[in-house]
């Protein structure tokens, strides 16, 4: 089975068959995955070298936060067929417009410095959210015009709440 | 150093406390520091009373204490900042003293006074000393008066942003806005031009108001490139004040200390003596008693400037404990009990200690706070490793409190050994369920500048992006790609356990543990 793995801005094709992996068509490598019972820790053996690893699902299928050898990787890993189906489904969906400003964590809105119709620059602070007693400035993801403001000072927001939409 | 005395304290039978020691201490704090104080109490044979908000009912500091009192709902303003409720709890359980820890009410003069007025012992400096030193403006005035050098700045709180601009123009930009009552980077803003003042002013005041209930802000000249070096002092009620040497705390992000060490790579015996003398002078002038910390900026020429006095135990106190062999929290309790300091006035640090603050902040996402449940925790151990933590498996990290989860502290014979040991310990650490600063600390321990000690308080801001953006080598990337493939393959075939919840349910797998072990061992050969 062939898998397409994206991490650290790179794409690898890993062929996995009966405990043998080939990365980008390279030499066969003996690999195993073992669970450490009672923990989320897994032992990955690659050509005889052990790596301690944890992996958590992160959003849609195929996405993981993987931690191994002191590194954290945001990973997209899917077999070729599932990935092709996902890409087709994505292509069929109409574009949803510019990326909105989304609350990256739950907190309390303390300031909103943008109004509908404002032209903003990428990186411009638009909303301040307080969490753990610190104010965090949320900045415009890209240049654009503010189409809608959903954040109100004094109101709590959940992680993932759309705060500001652009056109 | 009186090693014999220390030894005796550590091996004393807890059931037989020193006669004159405090009997029962209420700890007005939470998290790792509350647990740290509980441990000191237990080692001294003093009873400990924890307080807790509704959110902390099952927290480690509650479970380890001898008694525990609920003091209200989760928000700190309704629990850990309720001085009257805490004092009433102390009276009710028959405590004879209150230890405030750090943060919360620890540097509130009114609270220290109220504790004393209630007939309880305050484990910290007298309210008068907090008044003289706790406010940064008051502390500066006192420092200037006693010949301790200070950075140019205002000694009184400013009235408005316009006044701040006028003063800043006089000192020359950049300037620093600081909350008079502040600490830990809260209510602090660097302002690089007049145009930035208005929003920085509002932010500093708002943060200060929320964190400390006080919105007084002052301004000072921002010295670029200095180190943050602080002196730990210990003062008893018999007039003895000693310096326990310095801590280097230059690895800071947004003025928040991330990594501390003792001693400092930039301080020699002579400078240590001079900085220590200045700190002792400031403490004596204020009538200081108990543990305290004098913070200085140290520039590249060896000139140092008094910043402020922290009138409480510091987060980073363990590094001093490890290089001096003195248990600072135990001595806070002993001093509050009236004991005399038995240590010599000059103590040379032994070896090297480093502390990393493990926070629930996500370095891969701009250090934004991360919340959730700690599904799994594996704490590092082995030679020279200490873990002062307030979390365990099952702990829920919410938004009500400070993001610091734990401190990982190591000791080594040399700085090089300490750095290497910290790196090893961080590799052992597993926290699953909440994003933490672990990987950030690993990258710092791998950094050539940090390893050589060539750091100042702007170092991290300059290097953060390249530190976190540094790509692992090709072998590591390929290994990660293979690991991801194995996980995806397992998930596709329905054997997935990519969450701890699934892990618990998915225990019975095809192969037995022995068979799997055999496979692993076979591959190792």
């Amino acid at each position: 089975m062939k898998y397409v793995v994206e991490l650290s801005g790179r794409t690898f094709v890993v062929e996995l068959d009966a405990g043998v992996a080939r990365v980008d068509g390279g030499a066969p490598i003996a690999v195993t995955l073992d669970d450490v019972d009672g923990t989320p820790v897994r032992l990955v053996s690659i050509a005889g070298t052990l790596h301690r690893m944890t992996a958590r699902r992160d959003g849609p299928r195929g996405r993981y936060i993987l931690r191994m050898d002191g590194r954290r990787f945001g990973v997209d890993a899917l077999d070729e067929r599932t990935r092709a189906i996902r890409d087709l489904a994505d292509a069929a969906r109409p574009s949803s417009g510019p990326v909105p400003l989304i609350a990256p964590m739950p907190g309390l809105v303390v300031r909103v410095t943008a109004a509908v119709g404002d032209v903003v620059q990428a990186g411009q602070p638009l909303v301040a959210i307080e969490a753990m007693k610190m104010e965090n400035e949320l900045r415009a993801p890209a240049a654009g015009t503010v189409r809608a403001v959903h954040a109100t000072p004094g109101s709590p927001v959940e992680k993932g709440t759309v705060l500001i939409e652009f056109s | 150093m009186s090693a014999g005395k220390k030894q005796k304290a550590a091996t004393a039978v807890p059931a037989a406390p020193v006669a004159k020691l405090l009997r029962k201490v209420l700890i007005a704090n939470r998290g790792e520091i509350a647990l740290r104080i509980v441990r000191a109490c237990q080692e001294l044979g003093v009873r400990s009373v924890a307080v807790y908000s509704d959110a902390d009912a099952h927290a480690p500091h509650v479970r380890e204490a001898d008694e525990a009192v609920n003091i209200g709902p989760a928000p700190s303003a309704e629990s850990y900042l309720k001085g009257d409720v805490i004092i009433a709890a102390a009276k009710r359980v028959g405590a004879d003293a209150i230890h405030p820890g750090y943060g919360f009410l620890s540097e509130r003069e009114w609270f220290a006074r109220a504790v004393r007025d209630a007939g309880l012992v305050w484990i910290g400096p007298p309210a008068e000393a907090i008044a003289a030193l706790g406010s940064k403006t008051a502390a500066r005035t006192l420092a200037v008066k006693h010949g301790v050098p200070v950075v140019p700045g205002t000694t009184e709180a400013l009235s408005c942003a316009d006044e701040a601009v006028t003063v800043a123009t006089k000192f020359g930009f950049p300037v620093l806005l600081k909350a008079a009552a502040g600490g830990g980077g809260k209510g602090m803003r660097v302002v690089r031009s007049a145009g930035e003042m208005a929003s920085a002013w509002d932010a500093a005041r708002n943060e200060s108001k929320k964190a400390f209930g006080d919105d007084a802000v002052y301004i000072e000249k921002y010295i670029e490139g200095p180190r943050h070096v602080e002196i730990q002092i210990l003062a008893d009620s018999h007039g003895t004040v000693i310096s326990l040497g310095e801590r280097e705390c230059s690895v800071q992000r947004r003025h928040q200390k991330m990594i501390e060490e003792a001693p400092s790579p930039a301080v020699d015996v002579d400078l240590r003596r001079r900085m220590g003398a200045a700190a002792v002078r400031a403490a004596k002038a204020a009538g200081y008693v108990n543990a305290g910390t004098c913070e200085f900026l140290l520039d590249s020429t060896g000139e140092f400037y008094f910043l402020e006095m922290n009138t409480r135990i510091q987060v980073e106190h363990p590094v001093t404990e490890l290089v001096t062999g003195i248990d600072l929290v135990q001595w806070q309790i002993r001093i509050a009990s009236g004991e005399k300091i038995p240590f010599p006035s000059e103590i040379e640090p032994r070896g090297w200690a480093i502390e990393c603050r493990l926070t629930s902040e996500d370095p891969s996402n701009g250090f934004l706070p991360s919340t959730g449940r700690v599904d799994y925790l594996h704490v590092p151990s082995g030679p020279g490793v200490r873990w002062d933590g307030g979390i365990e498996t099952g702990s829920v990290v919410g938004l009500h409190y400070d993001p610091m989860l734990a401190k990982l502290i190591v000791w080594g014979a040399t700085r090089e050994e300490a750095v290497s040991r910290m790196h090893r310990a961080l590799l052992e650490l597993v926290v699953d369920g909440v994003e933490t600063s672990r990987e950030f600390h690993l990258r710092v321990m791998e950094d050539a500048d940090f390893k050589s000690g060539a750091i100042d308080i702007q170092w991290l801001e300059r290097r953060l992006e390249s530190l976190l953006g540094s790509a692992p080598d090709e072998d590591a990337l390929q290994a990660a790609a293979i690991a991801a493939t194995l996980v995806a393959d397992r998930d596709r075939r329905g054997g997935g356990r990519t969450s701890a919840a699934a892990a618990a349910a998915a225990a019975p797998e095809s192969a037995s543990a022995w068979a799997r072990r055999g496979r692993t061992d076979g591959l190792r050969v």
Side-chain angles (χ1 to χ4, degrees):
Chain A
M1 176 74 69
K2 267 188 187 167
Y3 287 84
V4 180
V5 180
E6 290 176 38
L7 55 86
S8 293
R10 296 273 303 273
T11 304
F12 296 90
V13 176
V14 183
E15 207 177 331
L16 185 66
D17 182 37
V20 174
R22 288 170 195 269
V23 180
D24 293 334
I29 305 166
V31 296
T32 62
L33 175 66
D34 279 294
D35 302 333
V36 178
D37 287 342
T39 81
V41 178
R42 302 167 181 208
L43 291 180
V44 178
S45 169
I46 301 173
T49 299
L50 282 178
H51 305 263
R52 205 177 40 159
M53 187 259 291
T54 62
R56 284 182 79 87
R57 272 261 169 85
D58 183 41
R61 178 150 185 217
R63 295 274 169 79
Y64 304 93
I65 300 294
L66 192 144
R67 282 190 161 80
M68 194 166 93
D69 300 339
R71 291 271 178 178
R72 175 193 185 276
F73 300 94
V75 172
D76 184 278
L78 278 178
D79 62 277
E80 270 186 329
R81 197 168 143 264
T82 312
R83 188 181 160 97
I85 293 166
R86 187 185 66 183
D87 290 351
L88 280 172
D90 285 352
R93 200 175 301 135
S95 167
S96 53
V99 181
L101 182 70
I102 288 171
M105 75 284 183
L108 189 73
V109 176
V110 288
R111 241 184 353 269
V112 179
T113 50
V116 173
D118 284 2
V119 176
V120 299
Q121 300 305 314
Q124 184 178 328
L126 301 180
V127 177
I129 289 188
E130 187 193 287
M132 293 176 180
K133 308 275 178 268
M134 292 289 280
E135 279 191 17
N136 301 276
E137 298 250 43
L138 306 182
R139 295 161 186 278
T145 305
V146 175
R147 183 163 65 84
V149 176
H150 304 294
T152 319
S155 58
V157 290
E158 291 304 314
K159 179 179 178 173
T161 305
V162 174
L163 302 173
I164 292 185
E165 293 180 273
F166 305 94
S167 55
Chain B
M1 177 182 355
S2 157
K5 181 106 188 165
K6 174 85 182 85
Q7 287 285 324
K8 228 163 95 188
T11 54
V13 180
V18 180
K20 60 180 176 180
L21 267 187
L22 293 166
R23 211 175 30 79
K24 189 192 268 195
V25 171
L26 180 135
I27 300 152
N29 216 297
R30 65 178 299 281
E32 69 87 18
I33 192 62
L35 184 55
R36 170 74 187 87
I37 299 162
V38 168
R39 286 170 168 160
C41 287
Q42 286 178 349
E43 287 166 12
L44 288 171
V46 173
R47 273 184 83 78
S48 56
V49 183
V51 296
Y52 63 95
S53 73
D54 295 344
D56 282 337
H58 304 292
H61 80 274
V62 174
R63 197 192 45 220
E64 297 304 324
D66 294 316
E67 298 172 43
V69 183
N70 180 294
I71 49 164
S76 358
E78 297 168 43
S79 48
Y80 296 105
L81 291 173
K82 282 272 186 199
D84 51 344
V85 174
I86 290 168
I87 290 170
K91 298 293 280 183
R92 197 163 65 246
V93 299
D96 45 17
I98 290 183
H99 193 309
Y102 54 69
F104 293 127
L105 297 168
S106 61
E107 293 183 279
R108 299 275 73 89
E109 176 201 352
W110 64 262
F111 186 58
R113 206 178 287 280
V115 168
R116 188 172 62 194
D117 290 349
L120 299 165
V121 174
W122 169 252
I123 303 181
E128 293 73 18
I130 298 178
L133 291 167
S135 152
K136 289 173 193 175
T137 50
R140 280 177 60 91
T141 311
L142 185 127
V144 170
K145 195 173 149 201
H146 291 87
V148 179
V150 300
V151 176
T154 58
T155 48
E156 278 174 20
L158 299 171
S159 61
C160 63
D162 284 348
E163 190 193 350
V165 170
T166 309
V167 173
T169 310
K170 198 176 79 191
F171 294 155
F173 285 96
V175 295
L176 198 57
L177 290 181
K178 291 171 111 178
K186 283 160 193 165
M188 201 183 274
R189 287 290 186 283
V190 179
V191 187
R192 297 194 175 271
S193 67
E196 293 177 12
M197 185 63 82
S199 74
W201 174 261
D202 288 343
R205 276 179 33 123
N206 287 344
E207 264 181 34
S208 176
K209 182 83 187 166
K210 282 194 187 101
F212 315 108
D214 174 6
D215 64 1
V217 168
Y218 81 103
I219 194 168
E220 68 182 32
K221 170 78 183 144
Y222 191 52
I223 295 179
E224 307 235 24
R227 290 167 179 267
H228 175 119
V229 176
E230 60 188 30
I231 297 286
Q232 174 71 52
I233 62 129
L234 211 50
D236 66 22
S237 53
H238 308 276
T240 300
V241 185
I242 62 166
S243 158
L244 295 182
E246 81 282 3
R247 290 185 288 261
E248 161 93 47
C249 314
S250 295
V251 181
Q252 301 186 3
R253 183 185 161 272
R254 285 171 153 205
H255 305 285
Q256 181 78 49
K257 295 166 189 167
M258 308 284 283
I259 296 169
E260 303 97 341
E261 55 187 296
S264 161
V267 175
D268 60 16
V269 175
D270 174 61
L271 183 55
R272 178 173 303 125
R273 193 172 294 148
R274 285 188 290 124
M275 293 181 82
V280 166
R281 210 154 59 231
K284 279 188 170 162
Y288 202 89
V289 176
N290 216 290
T293 296
C294 212
E295 295 191 338
F296 294 100
L297 286 180
L298 175 66
D299 75 15
S300 50
T301 67
E303 291 297 315
F304 58 89
Y305 306 92
F306 174 84
L307 277 182
E308 59 171 303
M309 185 89 162
N310 291 313
T311 56
R312 53 168 158 83
I313 193 75
Q314 297 268 102
V315 172
E316 59 272 25
H317 73 273
V319 292
T320 298
E321 295 186 323
L322 293 186
V323 296
T324 62
I326 293 170
D327 188 313
L328 286 168
V329 179
Q330 282 193 15
W331 272 98
Q332 283 195 290
I333 296 168
R334 288 176 176 275
I335 286 169
S337 305
E339 279 194 38
K340 280 185 178 171
I341 294 172
F343 310 115
S345 59
E346 200 161 313
I347 293 172
E348 278 304 302
R350 191 185 68 91
W352 213 282
I354 302 179
E355 170 181 285
C356 288
R357 297 188 184 193
L358 190 75
T359 62
S360 56
E361 295 172 307
D362 182 1
S364 66
N365 191 14
F367 283 88
L368 286 173
S370 168
T371 56
R373 181 178 179 273
V374 178
D375 288 328
Y376 177 73
L377 174 67
H378 176 80
V379 172
S381 52
V385 176
R386 168 170 164 182
W387 172 267
D388 279 21
I391 55 160
E392 57 194 2
T393 297
S395 292
V396 173
V397 179
L399 284 166
H400 291 293
Y401 311 115
D402 191 273
M404 200 180 73
L405 305 176
K407 305 176 313 205
L408 180 58
I409 312 115
V410 301
W411 183 90
T414 61
R415 186 168 189 273
E416 194 182 1
E417 185 179 283
V419 173
S420 176
R421 181 164 281 166
M422 178 61 85
H423 190 264
R424 184 272 292 175
L426 286 163
L427 282 177
E428 283 183 21
L429 171 66
V430 182
V431 184
D432 190 49
V434 181
E435 292 289 335
T436 74
S437 52
R438 170 182 176 258
E439 282 77 15
F440 158 79
H441 290 299
L442 277 162
R443 297 297 88 77
V444 174
M445 294 304 135
E446 292 160 3
D447 183 81
D449 286 349
F450 182 79
K451 283 183 177 175
S452 72
I455 42 174
D456 59 51
I457 59 173
Q458 275 110 25
W459 173 78
L460 186 57
E461 304 285 353
R462 286 195 304 270
R463 289 280 286 114
L464 192 56
E465 209 168 315
S466 54
L467 264 182
L468 297 176
S470 75
D473 62 28
E474 187 63 24
D475 285 355
L477 287 175
Q478 288 212 10
I482 290 171
T485 300
L486 290 166
V487 171
D489 186 61
R490 182 82 68 86
D491 282 356
R492 189 183 61 82
R493 290 187 288 112
R497 36 161 276 179
T498 37
S499 73
E509 285 235 327
S510 55
S512 76
W514 284 110
R516 270 181 282 134
R517 180 57 193 261
R519 258 190 354 248
T520 312
D521 286 352
L523 275 159
R524 262 197 204 122
V525 173

